[in-house]
Amino acid sequence: MSDAILSVEELQTHFFTRAGVLKAVDGVSFSVGKGRILGLVGESGSGKSVTGYSILRLVDAPGKIVGGRILLKGKDLAALDPEAMRRTRGAVVSMIFQDPMMTLNPVLKIGTQMVAAIKAHVKISTADARKQARDALALVGIPAPDERLDVYPHHLSGGMRQRVAIAIALLHKPAVIIADEPTTALDVSIQSQILAEVRRLADQTGTAFVWVTHDLSVVSSLADDIAVMYAGRIVESGETGAVLAHPKHPYTAGLMASVPSQAERGQKLVQIKGSTPSLAHLPEGCSFRPRCPRATDICKTMPALLPLGDTKVRCHHPIVEHAS
Amino acid sequence: MTKAMLSIDNAAKRFVTPASMGDRIAHALGGPDRTQTVHAVTDVTLTVAKGEVVGLVGESGCGKSTLGRMISGIYAPSSGAIALEGTPVAKMAGKRIQKLTTRVQMVHQDPFSSLDPRMRVANTVSEGPVHHQLVSAAGADDNVADMLVRVGLDASTRRRFPHQFSGGQRQRIAIARALAMQPDLLVLDEPVASLDVSIQAQVLNLFLDLRQQLGLTAVFISHDLGVVRHVSDRVAIMYLGRVVELADTVPLFDRPAHPYTRALLDSVPKLGAGRGAFSAVAGEIPSPLNPPPGCAFHPRCPFAGPRCSVERPILKAGDNTPGTVACHLYDGGT
Ligand SMILES: Nc1ncnc2c1ncn2[C@@H]1O[C@H](COP(=O)(O)OP(=O)(O)OP(=O)(O)O)[C@@H](O)[C@H]1O
Ligand SMILES: Nc1ncnc2c1ncn2[C@@H]1O[C@H](COP(=O)(O)OP(=O)(O)OP(=O)(O)O)[C@@H](O)[C@H]1O
Ligand code: SF4
Ligand code: SF4
Ligand SMILES: [Mg+2]
Ligand SMILES: [Mg+2]
C-alpha cells in the first residue's frame, strides 16, 4: 500500500534463551494508513507486545530483531542511529502501555511531567508548554484540565491515568501510536469512553494506531483493519468487517465462536481444543495443527499468508462459504 | 418459591482505614479526625435458592468481592446477617473472624496467586477435606483423582506443582479444591477474568457441566456481562456498594430498567456491532469514601431530577420492570 504511514515487512524478533531460540515474532507483515486503526489480536504469548516493542526498537537481550524491515513514513528505522531513534520515539511514533504508570512518574505532578516531555523535543517556553499540556488533556476528554495539571498521578482514577498517558503519547502529534492493551484493566464503562475518544482522535488528527488486544469485541467496534496472530505469525488479516463477518482461518473462527455472547444462553460454548503451544515446542508446519479440526497431512508444511477474496489467510484449508 | 439456600439480610461491610501517624497526632492535639470509612457494601438483601446461580455484576470497587467474602464467611458483616439455611456463615469473635461453616467455598479471581506454589496438587485438593474429616486419610488419594477427573484433568497430574499447569488448568484445580469440600454453595469471584477467551470457554463449559451433574448453587461474580448472562439464572447489578437492580437474566438483558444497567449494557463492545458503535456512560466511578447523597448514580445519570440528589431510591418492583429496581423513575418520578 503506497499511502501507508507504517509498514512492517517480514519482521522477525527472536529470543535466544537457554531453552533454545524462541521465535516470538516470525515473519509478521502489516501496514497502517493515516487515521486508520489496526487491531492486532491474539492470545497470551502470541507475540503482540513483542511486535509493538520491535517497532519502537525497544527489544532487549536475549531478544533481537533478526529479520525484516520497519518503514515509518517510508524511512527504514533500522537505518537510524540510536540518537535519531530516540528523537523518533515520542515525536513520530509513540506507545501506550496496559499500565499507565509505565508512562507516568508517580512523584511528579502531571503538568511537570508533560512540560518536560514537550521540552525534550521542542524549544518552547514553560508557559507555552503548559498550555500545550492543558490542551492535550482537554483533547482526550479530561474534565477540568487546568486543575489536573497540578495533581499527582495517584490522585487520578485508573481510567483518568490512562487518558493522561494517551495525552502524553499524543503531545507531539505522532504519526503512529502503538497501544498495548491500554483498556484491558479498565471497566467497560471507562473503556468505552476511551475507545470513543481514540476513534475520534484517529479521525480528527490523522494519527494511525496499532491497537494490541486479546478482545475481539473491542477490535470489532474500534478498528478499521484486523490482524490475527497465532504463535508469532499473522494467520488472518483484512478489513475488520470482512474478517469478522466470514472468518476463514479455523483459529479466528474458533476464537469468535468461544465468545459467550455468540452462544445461546446456558449452552456449551464452542471450545478450541488443547492449549496455546509453547514457542519452544512448536509443531512442524502449521502451528495450529494439533488443535485444528480441519488439519490434514499437507498441514505438516507451513502455509503462506495469501489473499483469498477480500482478506488474507494463512491456511491450507480455509473456511470458504459455499453459495447456497 | 423454593426454599432459600442463602439468605442475605440487610448486610453491610464498612472498612475503617486508619489515619496516618501524622494525622493521628494532629487529631490528638485537637485537629480533625482523619480516619476514613469505606462503605464497601451497604444494605444488601438477596436470597439464592437451592440449585440457582445468581450473577453479581458492577464496576471495579462496587463491592462484589467484599460481598463474596462475606457470603463465604471470610469477612463478618458490619451489620445485617448472612445465613446458609438459617446458620450464620461468620461471626466476629473479639478481633478474629470465625468461619462458621465449610459449606460455602470460594474460588478466587487469580489462578496464579490463589494456589500455594510449594504444594503438590494432591495436597492442595485433599488438605481441606481431610482436615474436616470429609474423607479419611486413606481415601484421600482416590478422592483427589475423582475431583481432578471431574474438572477435566488427568488424575496422573496430581503429583505436580501449580507452575506446571496453564492458567486455565490452575483455575480447574482451584475449582476442584472447592468442590472437594462438598460445598452447598460456591462463590466464584471472577473465575475467568484472567484467562484467554479460548481457555475461558473451557472453564465456563466446565462450570455448566458441573452445574448439571451436581445441581450446584452458586454466586457468580464478574464484571463481564456476556459471561454473567451466559451462566446465571438471576443477576444483581451493584453500584457503589448497593444492589440497584435485581431480575431474572433474560428479561434483565432484554429490557433493563435502571439507567445504570442500561448504560452498562450499552458500553459493552459487541462483536459485529460495527465500527464506531460506542455509547459510553458519562463521568467517573465515584469514590465509596464519599458516596454521593440521594441516588449514588445521580452525577452520571442522564435522567436525574431534583429528587435524585436528596432522596435515596428503594429497591422495589415497578410497573413493567423486569424485577426490582432502585430508581425514582419507577417510583413516582424524579
Ligand atoms: N524477555 C524475554 N525472554 C524470553 N522470551 C520472551 C521475552 N519476552 C517475551 N518472550 C516470549 O515471546 C513470546 C511473545 O510474547 P508477547 O509478550 O509478545 O506476547 P503477547 O501476545 O503480548 O501476550 P499477552 O497477551 O500475554 O501480553 C512469549 O512466548 C514470551 O514468552
Ligand atoms: N480490606 C479492605 N480494607 C479497606 N478497604 C477495602 C478492603 N477491601 C475492599 N475495600 C474497598 O471496598 C470497596 C469495594 O471493594 P471490592 O474489592 O469489594 O470491589 P469489587 O467490586 O470486587 O471490585 P473489582 O471489580 O475491582 O474486584 C473498594 O473501594 C475497596 O477499595
Ligand atoms: S493449515 Fe491446516 S492445520 Fe493449519 S489452520 Fe489450516 S487446516 Fe488447520
Ligand atoms: S434515581 Fe434518579 S439519578 Fe438515580 S438512576 Fe434513577 S433517575 Fe437516575
Ligand atoms: Mg502483551
Ligand atoms: Mg473484586
Side-chain angles (χ1 to χ4, degrees), chain B residues 60-61 63-66 69 109 189-190 221:
Chain B
S60 184
K64 306 180 294 295
S65 297
T66 304
R69 292 199 184 105
Q109 167 165 358
D189 190 0
E190 307 263 12
I221 299 174

